[in-house]
Amino acid sequence: MAIQFFCIALFTIFVAMKHFGLIGYPLGHSASAAYFTDKFSRESIDAEYTLYEIENITALDGIKGGLSGFNVTIPYKKAVIPYLATISPEAEAIGAVNCVKVDSKGLLHGYNTDAVGIRATLLPYDLCGQRAIILGTGGAAAAVKYVLQELAMEVVMVSRNTSQNVITYEQISEDIVYSTRLIVNATPVGMFPNIDNAPQLPYHAIGKSHILFDLIYNPAQTRFLALGAAQGATTIGGGEMFRRQAEASWEIWSAKGEF
C-alpha cells in the first residue's frame, strides 16, 4: 500500500512539473537557465529550464513536444516565425520572436518580450525625437528599432553588408556619431567568450552627451561600453533588459486560460 501511494505521488509530481527552455546557437554565454532555476527555487515553482543549443531551427520539431514554453535567441528570432500558429501583434510588427508559449494541443504562440526589456531600460533617459545608431540588423536589433521609433527617434541601422536603409560600419563617420545621442549594440560582438572584441566605431567621436547601450549582459561591461565610458559617455549594460524580458516571458507562460 505504501509503495502504491509513493508511486502515485511520484507520478503526480512528474505530471505537474512544467518544462521550459531556450533555443539558440551558441549558448555558452547564456544565463537563462541559471536565472530561471533560481527563480523556480525561490518561488517554489515546480518547473525546470533547459538550454537547447541547436545548430539548425529544424531541430525544434524534436524539442517542442516536451515544453510548455521557451525563449528564442540568436540566430532564430526570425527563423522561428514559420513554426508559429499565432504571433502577437507587437511581435509581428517587430518581425522577431523571443518568447514562445506552447498550448495544450502543442501549438506554438509567439511573442516579443525583448521590447519590454528595452523600453524599461531606456525609460529613465530623455530620448524622444533624437537620433540613434543601431549596430546589427537581426531579431534583437528589430526590437530596438521598434521601441526607438515609438519614441519618434531617427534611426540609423548598421550592418557588415550594405542594403536598403542600412549603412556599413565603414560608413559610420565622425559627423554621424557627433549628431547621435544613442548608440545601441544589438550584435553578439564582445559577448563571452570573445570579450576583447568591440564593434567598429570612431570611438574618439563619442563624448559626454552620448549614451551607449549594449544588449549583451555577459560580460556586464563589454569592451564597447568600456571604450564609451573612457570618452565620458553614459553606458548601459544588458542586465536590466535581460531580467525584464525574462520576467515578461514568465508572465506569458504562467498566464491562465489564454488558449
Side-chain angles (χ1 to χ4, degrees):
M1 186 69 175
I3 294 175
Q4 184 180 17
F5 176 80
F6 173 77
C7 290
I8 292 173
L10 185 61
F11 176 76
T12 301
I13 292 171
F14 177 78
V15 171
M17 178 176 280
K18 300 291 186 181
H19 301 271
F20 303 93
L22 171 70
I23 67 166
Y25 187 85
L27 293 179
H29 69 283
S30 179
S32 293
Y35 182 89
F36 279 105
T37 298
D38 179 66
K39 176 182 175 66
F40 295 158
S41 177
R42 284 185 291 103
E43 300 179 20
S44 299
I45 298 170
D46 192 11
E48 66 175 8
Y49 192 101
T50 304
L51 300 182
Y52 295 96
E53 192 171 66
I54 58 176
E55 295 189 36
N56 194 298
I57 188 64
T58 57
L60 179 59
D61 288 326
I63 296 170
K64 62 183 181 180
L67 297 174
S68 296
F70 58 93
N71 291 121
V72 185
T73 191
I74 297 171
Y76 302 127
K77 292 184 179 184
K78 296 181 179 181
V80 75
I81 292 176
Y83 289 81
L84 306 175
T86 66
I87 183 171
S88 72
E90 184 166 71
E92 185 172 26
I94 292 170
V97 165
N98 76 300
C99 174
V100 175
K101 184 170 184 175
V102 184
D103 69 19
S104 59
K105 297 178 181 178
L107 299 177
L108 309 185
H109 305 270
Y111 302 84
N112 192 297
T113 64
D114 280 342
V116 175
I118 294 162
R119 281 193 201 96
T121 301
L122 295 179
L123 186 62
Y125 304 92
D126 182 16
L127 295 169
C128 188
Q130 300 192 53
R131 191 184 209 188
I133 295 172
I134 301 176
L135 308 177
T137 54
V144 173
K145 181 180 180 181
Y146 179 84
V147 172
L148 297 189
Q149 288 180 333
E150 289 181 330
L151 298 172
M153 296 189 73
E154 178 189 349
V155 174
V156 177
M157 303 293 293
V158 183
S159 180
R160 288 172 296 180
N161 302 309
T162 187
S163 60
Q164 187 175 10
N165 300 320
V166 176
I167 67 171
T168 64
Y169 288 90
E170 290 76 16
Q171 293 174 305
I172 305 176
S173 66
E174 292 182 5
D175 288 341
I176 290 176
V177 174
Y178 286 139
S179 63
T180 296
R181 178 80 192 288
L182 175 69
I183 305 175
V184 183
N185 179 32
T187 78
V189 176
M191 185 170 66
F192 178 85
N194 302 309
I195 61 174
D196 292 329
N197 295 344
Q200 178 185 335
L201 287 174
Y203 287 94
H204 61 274
I206 293 172
K208 294 181 180 179
S209 65
H210 287 92
I211 299 171
L212 272 60
F213 176 24
D214 202 328
L215 271 58
I216 293 171
Y217 59 84
N218 184 10
Q221 184 184 54
T222 59
R223 180 163 171 75
F224 166 71
L225 295 181
L227 290 170
Q231 295 294 116
T234 298
T235 61
I236 311 168
E240 180 69 12
M241 177 196 164
F242 169 75
R243 290 186 291 273
R244 295 276 188 161
Q245 65 81 27
E247 290 299 326
S249 293
W250 178 248
E251 288 179 14
I252 290 168
W253 296 333
S254 59
K256 303 294 184 183
E258 188 169 346
F259 303 111

